[in-house]
Amino acid sequence: MRKRSSIFSIFSVAVLTVCGAVAQDTQNRVFEISTRNTSLVYTAREDGRLVQRYYGPRIADPSRFEAMRSPDKADSRREMTWEAYPTYGLGFTNEPALSVIHHDGSLITEMALTDHRIQSDQNIVRHTFTLCDRVYDLTVELHAEAYQNEDVIALWTVIRNNEPGAVSLNNFYSSMLDLRAESYYLTHFNGTWAGEMNRTEERLGYGVKSVESRKGVRTTQTENPSFILSLGAPARENHGHCIGGALAWSGNYKLSFEVNEWDHLSVMTGMNPFMSQYKLSPGESLQTPASIYTYSTTGQGQVSRNLHDWARQYALHDGYSPRPVLLNSWEGAYFDFDENTITTMIDDAARLGVELFVLDDGWFGNKYPRNDATQGLGDWQVNRRKLPRGLEYLIDHATRRGVKFGLWIEPEMVNPRSELAECHPDWIVQSPGREKITMRNQLLLDLSNPAVQDFIWHTVDSLLTAHPRIAYIKWDANRHVEQVGSPYLAADMQTRFWIEYTRGLYGIYEKIRAKYPDLIFQACASGGGRVDYGSLRYHDEFWTSDNNDALRRIYMQYSTNLIYPANATASHISAIPGHQTGSITPLKFRFDVAMSGRLGLELQPEDIPAAEQEFAKQAIASYKEHIRDLVASGDLYAAKDKSKAVLFAYCTDFNNRGVWPTIKLHGLDPNKKYRIREINRLRPGKAFWGDGMVFQGDYLINMGVELRIARQYDSAVFLLEESDND
Ligand code: DGJ
């Protein structure tokens, strides 16, 4: 961390506990929340309002912001719309971050700064601003964590009710950013089942654009709580000012982008207030999830690198560790297997060099055997017909072959045809008097209920205690919330359901992590329905999509990796024709695509044609030897010290005869020399004429490599290694 001795960044005032008074020593002060290359600047006005003045490249001396206020009355009101945490009350009525019905029915809230504290912990500088309503005893702690080396700032709040009666929160966003640019281009990620994370970029016009989920569960299937904002021009990889943002929350979320009459953009992110009025009893508080931001002056590429570095250190479990290559049983066997099917798959996997086998859906249920998706969900006992010698027999078998064992569960859900649903009908999310509507034949358990949380925790804990060699859990969730209603929550607490559900889920994750720190834990929700920084801090990886088609995966993984690390991006080779798209792609293409994330297989290994078995084995070995470390700890995809890099090149369509794409290799060191070598080769002839030769970094960066890949599904993988010899 760079040390600076600025009075503007090291500043703390005495606690002022009385609400309604403006702390004298906070008036006209400048507060700089800085990272190595960025500054977020707030000032406190004379009237105590904390106003955001700036977010952008680091400003060496932010003292001038102190004078940045206008005596003009209209201007002064305008400033209220860019308060650090705007409340509904005075000023122009843009979307407020906080709107409250006070205990006596008053609708107005006006916050003044009463305290600021700062605390440093090596790489993280933590600021806490205490804001207090001028009339009522309602406080907001605005927290800002500045991650110095990663240029990431996390913002969130704690809203506390000290009024004599209950207050209702209508809006309770985590943060507000006020931006000023000629134009704003928003990249966000829309999707559907088997088509998650489509990158959409649009110019923001006047008014509000919102990206949100009201699904409660599986919230990232159709949109993702993350974005890139490019200022002044559409986003480019290596040029321009871009802000990356993400909300660390797995429940309903809302990202609001409002271009107002002064051409400012106000960005607000947080839990979705939709049907979520939150009543705070006296003394009670609500903590909002972290809004993550990073600022880059060199395009969206740096946004991704900052977020990946931050995540791998702070928001992804075991972020920098290489992940094992696995075989998942789903597309190879679906529900249709017995002991022999599984042991054969394990044997074949071991032969190919696979390190972990994951038994997916279908292994449980006896009264209602889980032989398809219609029944058995919730009954987490091994199916005795399919697996008469139980899981231990399979685990022993795998262990003997040097393969670890993993298991699928979907503990938040239940089939109506299950012993669990029969025993605990009151554990199911439902609305009184209404027919329960199933989705994929299943209903949702009420995770706001502590008894349900205990059941789920004990389900997982019993499995892992009975089978301590289970190394990996895939946690799936295949429906969203409909007909919301909790038999557990009181009538006046029903609107809390959305938040309580997610808290219940996180509580279980916490317990799992505390007791099983080494477990490899995958977040899945019908594919990429739970890809967010709220859940990732407990997980090692996520299931990107049920769509394993390599062509589609190129785009999905590219968009996903704009925000989330490649190391966490599970990417599997499946059979052809692809089960979702029906397309037929070469095995090499499938491997070359899957290798850019956490490599896995999802097929019957024996379905790989005999002539290609050796290639598959070699490809897995190459991934382990050359690529996996770069995926785990590299900068998409050069090693941090730039001594090694990998280039993945894919031809997505016929490229016309004789048109050879030239690819410039950003990310290398111009002063280093690199030997470039194609790996995963299948066909004769060189994809690059310089294959095997040594090049100066500046040549590869500026001239690039001309690749002879032109037909659809041609692909090539090159390794670049620092070399002293020509
Ligand atoms: C949905 C997941 O995304 C799939 O990978 C698979 O685990 C099925 N559920 C099993 O039901």
Side-chain angles (χ1 to χ4, degrees), residues 8 29 74 91 144 272 321 326 387 391 407 455 460 473 500 523 525 527 537 546 583 585 621 649 665 677 695:
F8 303 105
R29 298 303 298 252
N272 199 334
S321 298
L326 63 80
L387 304 173
L391 292 178
L407 197 64
F455 165 77
V460 180
I473 288 281
E500 295 301 339
R537 57 187 284 242
D546 274 352
S583 64
T585 49
L665 304 186
R677 177 159 69 93
F695 292 83

Side-chain angles (χ1 to χ4, degrees), residues 559-712:
S559 316
T560 303
N561 295 155
L562 283 172
I563 306 291
Y564 302 102
N567 198 25
T569 308
S571 182
H572 295 178
I573 286 149
S574 62
I576 47 169
H579 292 195
Q580 293 75 25
T581 59
S583 64
I584 296 178
T585 49
L587 186 67
K588 172 173 163 56
F589 186 71
R590 281 176 275 153
F591 261 107
D592 287 357
V593 172
M595 280 183 169
S596 66
R598 194 280 284 134
L599 175 66
L601 285 80
E602 191 163 331
L603 40 59
Q604 271 293 351
E606 64 190 17
D607 288 346
I608 298 175
E612 291 184 317
Q613 289 277 346
E614 192 49 33
F615 172 79
K617 199 170 161 182
Q618 288 296 326
I620 292 170
S622 284
Y623 177 79
K624 291 197 264 191
E625 187 183 348
H626 301 299
I627 296 176
R628 156 157 80 179
D629 281 343
L630 284 170
V631 169
S633 55
D635 266 345
L636 281 185
Y637 287 114
K640 288 275 177 208
D641 64 2
K642 298 189 185 295
S643 62
K644 202 177 160 189
V646 61
L647 166 68
F648 296 100
Y650 312 117
C651 202
T652 55
D653 207 346
F654 172 58
N655 218 19
N656 290 341
R657 208 148 65 106
V659 178
W660 309 120
T662 298
I663 298 169
K664 296 182 179 179
L665 304 186
H666 302 287
L668 300 180
D669 180 341
N671 300 315
K672 284 188 164 49
K673 287 180 176 172
Y674 296 92
R675 185 175 301 283
I676 182 163
R677 177 159 69 93
E678 187 179 355
I679 58 172
N680 270 9
R681 277 179 70 162
L682 199 56
R683 56 180 186 158
K686 291 181 172 180
F688 171 48
W689 57 262
D691 189 5
M693 293 166 66
V694 172
F695 292 83
Q696 187 73 30
D698 64 359
Y699 175 97
L700 296 167
I701 293 168
N702 297 306
M703 171 61 207
V705 292
E706 188 188 54
L707 298 183
R708 295 198 159 235
I709 57 170
R711 285 183 306 185
Q712 191 178 31

Side-chain angles (χ1 to χ4, degrees), residues 440-481:
R440 205 197 189 211
N441 313 298
Q442 62 200 53
L443 297 164
L444 189 66
L445 294 179
D446 176 9
L447 267 71
S448 73
N449 182 343
V452 174
Q453 296 163 16
D454 275 357
F455 165 77
I456 296 179
W457 157 242
H458 287 303
T459 299
V460 180
D461 189 34
S462 314
L463 274 170
L464 294 176
T465 310
H467 310 289
R469 287 174 297 169
I470 291 182
Y472 176 108
I473 288 281
K474 171 177 176 180
W475 177 308
D476 203 348
N478 285 299
R479 68 160 294 160
H480 61 256
V481 183

Side-chain angles (χ1 to χ4, degrees), residues 193 196 328 330-331 334-335 360-362 364 370 373 377 408-410 440 442 474-478 522 524-529 543 545-548 572 602:
W193 175 76
E196 298 86 338
N328 176 294
W330 182 239
E331 286 199 6
Y334 290 111
F335 294 102
D360 210 282
D361 200 350
F364 50 90
R370 179 78 171 170
L377 199 59
W408 176 98
I409 51 174
E410 190 182 0
R440 205 197 189 211
Q442 62 200 53
K474 171 177 176 180
W475 177 308
D476 203 348
N478 285 299
Q522 185 190 69
C524 169
S526 310
W543 183 220
S545 176
D546 274 352
N547 190 341
N548 289 314
H572 295 178
E602 191 163 331

Side-chain angles (χ1 to χ4, degrees), residues 122-133:
Q122 295 189 349
N123 187 43
I124 310 173
V125 180
R126 297 189 170 86
H127 297 253
T128 308
F129 299 89
T130 306
L131 305 163
C132 201
D133 184 64

